[in-house]
PDB file of all heavy atoms in Angstrom:
ATOM      1  N   ARG C1200     -62.053  -2.912 -21.448  1.00 96.00           N
ATOM      2  CA  ARG C1200     -61.992  -4.127 -22.176  1.00 96.00           C
ATOM      3  C   ARG C1200     -61.635  -5.289 -21.362  1.00 96.00           C
ATOM      4  O   ARG C1200     -62.341  -6.422 -21.562  1.00 96.00           O
ATOM      5  CB  ARG C1200     -60.990  -3.875 -23.332  1.00 96.00           C
ATOM      6  CG  ARG C1200     -61.413  -2.864 -24.358  1.00 96.00           C
ATOM      7  CD  ARG C1200     -60.280  -2.900 -25.500  1.00 96.00           C
ATOM      8  NE  ARG C1200     -60.373  -1.673 -26.144  1.00 96.00           N
ATOM      9  CZ  ARG C1200     -61.287  -1.199 -27.122  1.00 96.00           C
ATOM     10  NH1 ARG C1200     -62.182  -2.027 -27.356  1.00 96.00           N
ATOM     11  NH2 ARG C1200     -61.151  -0.039 -27.677  1.00 96.00           N
ATOM     12  N   LEU C1201     -60.624  -5.249 -20.549  1.00 97.00           N
ATOM     13  CA  LEU C1201     -60.050  -6.361 -19.870  1.00 97.00           C
ATOM     14  C   LEU C1201     -61.149  -6.856 -18.753  1.00 97.00           C
ATOM     15  O   LEU C1201     -61.232  -7.987 -18.449  1.00 97.00           O
ATOM     16  CB  LEU C1201     -58.638  -6.140 -19.209  1.00 97.00           C
ATOM     17  CG  LEU C1201     -57.557  -6.073 -20.269  1.00 97.00           C
ATOM     18  CD1 LEU C1201     -56.291  -5.538 -19.548  1.00 97.00           C
ATOM     19  CD2 LEU C1201     -57.305  -7.493 -20.927  1.00 97.00           C
ATOM     20  N   GLN C1202     -61.772  -5.819 -18.163  1.00 97.00           N
ATOM     21  CA  GLN C1202     -62.768  -6.172 -17.112  1.00 97.00           C
ATOM     22  C   GLN C1202     -64.026  -6.907 -17.697  1.00 97.00           C
ATOM     23  O   GLN C1202     -64.464  -7.843 -17.216  1.00 97.00           O
ATOM     24  CB  GLN C1202     -63.177  -4.900 -16.335  1.00 97.00           C
ATOM     25  CG  GLN C1202     -64.251  -5.256 -15.173  1.00 97.00           C
ATOM     26  CD  GLN C1202     -64.691  -4.044 -14.505  1.00 97.00           C
ATOM     27  OE1 GLN C1202     -65.116  -3.044 -15.189  1.00 97.00           O
ATOM     28  NE2 GLN C1202     -64.577  -3.955 -13.234  1.00 97.00           N
ATOM     29  N   MET C1203     -64.338  -6.449 -19.053  1.00 97.00           N
ATOM     30  CA  MET C1203     -65.479  -7.162 -19.615  1.00 97.00           C
ATOM     31  C   MET C1203     -65.149  -8.573 -19.909  1.00 97.00           C
ATOM     32  O   MET C1203     -66.035  -9.466 -20.164  1.00 97.00           O
ATOM     33  CB  MET C1203     -65.771  -6.330 -20.936  1.00 97.00           C
ATOM     34  CG  MET C1203     -66.379  -4.945 -20.775  1.00 97.00           C
ATOM     35  SD  MET C1203     -66.463  -3.902 -22.211  1.00 97.00           S
ATOM     36  CE  MET C1203     -67.517  -4.885 -23.336  1.00 97.00           C
ATOM     37  N   ALA C1204     -63.818  -8.799 -20.121  1.00 97.00           N
ATOM     38  CA  ALA C1204     -63.376 -10.192 -20.406  1.00 97.00           C
ATOM     39  C   ALA C1204     -63.038 -11.150 -19.105  1.00 97.00           C
ATOM     40  O   ALA C1204     -62.679 -12.135 -19.170  1.00 97.00           O
ATOM     41  CB  ALA C1204     -62.068 -10.138 -21.182  1.00 97.00           C
ATOM     42  N   GLY C1205     -63.523 -10.553 -18.011  1.00 97.00           N
ATOM     43  CA  GLY C1205     -63.380 -11.266 -16.645  1.00 97.00           C
ATOM     44  C   GLY C1205     -62.208 -11.044 -15.953  1.00 97.00           C
ATOM     45  O   GLY C1205     -62.085 -11.631 -14.769  1.00 97.00           O
ATOM     46  N   ASN C1206     -61.397  -9.978 -16.325  1.00 97.00           N
ATOM     47  CA  ASN C1206     -60.034  -9.859 -15.473  1.00 97.00           C
ATOM     48  C   ASN C1206     -60.537  -8.750 -14.453  1.00 97.00           C
ATOM     49  O   ASN C1206     -61.536  -7.915 -14.600  1.00 97.00           O
ATOM     50  CB  ASN C1206     -58.986  -9.332 -16.398  1.00 97.00           C
ATOM     51  CG  ASN C1206     -58.651 -10.458 -17.485  1.00 97.00           C
ATOM     52  OD1 ASN C1206     -57.897 -11.388 -17.048  1.00 97.00           O
ATOM     53  ND2 ASN C1206     -59.142 -10.353 -18.663  1.00 97.00           N
ATOM     54  N   LYS C1207     -59.549  -8.632 -13.537  1.00 98.00           N
ATOM     55  CA  LYS C1207     -59.827  -7.551 -12.497  1.00 98.00           C
ATOM     56  C   LYS C1207     -58.786  -6.360 -12.574  1.00 98.00           C
ATOM     57  O   LYS C1207     -57.640  -6.496 -12.302  1.00 98.00           O
ATOM     58  CB  LYS C1207     -59.614  -8.289 -11.156  1.00 98.00           C
ATOM     59  CG  LYS C1207     -59.968  -7.435  -9.854  1.00 98.00           C
ATOM     60  CD  LYS C1207     -59.933  -8.330  -8.576  1.00 98.00           C
ATOM     61  CE  LYS C1207     -60.269  -7.412  -7.381  1.00 98.00           C
ATOM     62  NZ  LYS C1207     -60.287  -8.230  -6.099  1.00 98.00           N
ATOM     63  N   PRO C1208     -59.401  -5.306 -12.755  1.00 97.00           N
ATOM     64  CA  PRO C1208     -58.532  -3.943 -12.812  1.00 97.00           C
ATOM     65  C   PRO C1208     -58.190  -3.512 -11.387  1.00 97.00           C
ATOM     66  O   PRO C1208     -59.100  -3.479 -10.514  1.00 97.00           O
ATOM     67  CB  PRO C1208     -59.194  -2.988 -13.682  1.00 97.00           C
ATOM     68  CG  PRO C1208     -60.526  -3.695 -14.054  1.00 97.00           C
ATOM     69  CD  PRO C1208     -60.752  -4.914 -13.096  1.00 97.00           C
ATOM     70  N   ILE C1209     -57.114  -2.872 -11.288  1.00 97.00           N
ATOM     71  CA  ILE C1209     -56.798  -1.989 -10.128  1.00 97.00           C
ATOM     72  C   ILE C1209     -56.354  -0.613 -10.701  1.00 97.00           C
ATOM     73  O   ILE C1209     -55.345  -0.548 -11.435  1.00 97.00           O
ATOM     74  CB  ILE C1209     -55.571  -2.657  -9.285  1.00 97.00           C
ATOM     75  CG1 ILE C1209     -55.995  -3.957  -8.724  1.00 97.00           C
ATOM     76  CG2 ILE C1209     -55.268  -1.671  -8.207  1.00 97.00           C
ATOM     77  CD1 ILE C1209     -54.808  -4.610  -7.909  1.00 97.00           C
ATOM     78  N   ALA C1210     -57.084   0.355 -10.389  1.00 96.00           N
ATOM     79  CA  ALA C1210     -56.811   1.709 -10.750  1.00 96.00           C
ATOM     80  C   ALA C1210     -55.924   2.243  -9.525  1.00 96.00           C
ATOM     81  O   ALA C1210     -56.462   2.513  -8.512  1.00 96.00           O
ATOM     82  CB  ALA C1210     -58.016   2.635 -11.014  1.00 96.00           C
ATOM     83  N   LEU C1211     -54.719   2.467  -9.876  1.00 95.00           N
ATOM     84  CA  LEU C1211     -53.753   3.013  -8.816  1.00 95.00           C
ATOM     85  C   LEU C1211     -53.611   4.501  -8.963  1.00 95.00           C
ATOM     86  O   LEU C1211     -52.959   4.929  -9.964  1.00 95.00           O
ATOM     87  CB  LEU C1211     -52.394   2.300  -8.862  1.00 95.00           C
ATOM     88  CG  LEU C1211     -51.358   2.800  -7.927  1.00 95.00           C
ATOM     89  CD1 LEU C1211     -51.662   2.492  -6.523  1.00 95.00           C
ATOM     90  CD2 LEU C1211     -49.870   2.200  -8.215  1.00 95.00           C
ATOM     91  N   ILE C1212     -54.008   5.260  -7.977  1.00 92.00           N
ATOM     92  CA  ILE C1212     -53.987   6.605  -7.914  1.00 92.00           C
ATOM     93  C   ILE C1212     -52.685   7.058  -7.260  1.00 92.00           C
ATOM     94  O   ILE C1212     -52.309   6.566  -6.195  1.00 92.00           O
ATOM     95  CB  ILE C1212     -55.109   7.282  -7.334  1.00 92.00           C
ATOM     96  CG1 ILE C1212     -56.466   6.896  -7.875  1.00 92.00           C
ATOM     97  CG2 ILE C1212     -55.032   8.761  -7.304  1.00 92.00           C
ATOM     98  CD1 ILE C1212     -56.703   7.305  -9.144  1.00 92.00           C
ATOM     99  N   GLY C1213     -51.762   7.868  -7.872  1.00 88.00           N
ATOM    100  CA  GLY C1213     -50.438   8.112  -7.335  1.00 88.00           C
ATOM    101  C   GLY C1213     -50.405   9.199  -6.358  1.00 88.00           C
ATOM    102  O   GLY C1213     -49.690  10.203  -6.586  1.00 88.00           O
ATOM    103  N   GLY C1214     -51.254   9.219  -5.301  1.00 86.00           N
ATOM    104  CA  GLY C1214     -51.207  10.159  -4.364  1.00 86.00           C
ATOM    105  C   GLY C1214     -49.700  10.299  -3.672  1.00 86.00           C
ATOM    106  O   GLY C1214     -49.358  11.270  -3.096  1.00 86.00           O
TER     107      GLY C1214
END
Side-chain angles (χ1 to χ4, degrees):
R1200 291 184 203 282
L1201 288 171
Q1202 186 180 52
M1203 290 168 63
N1206 298 286
K1207 185 176 181 178
I1209 299 176
L1211 177 65
I1212 307 294

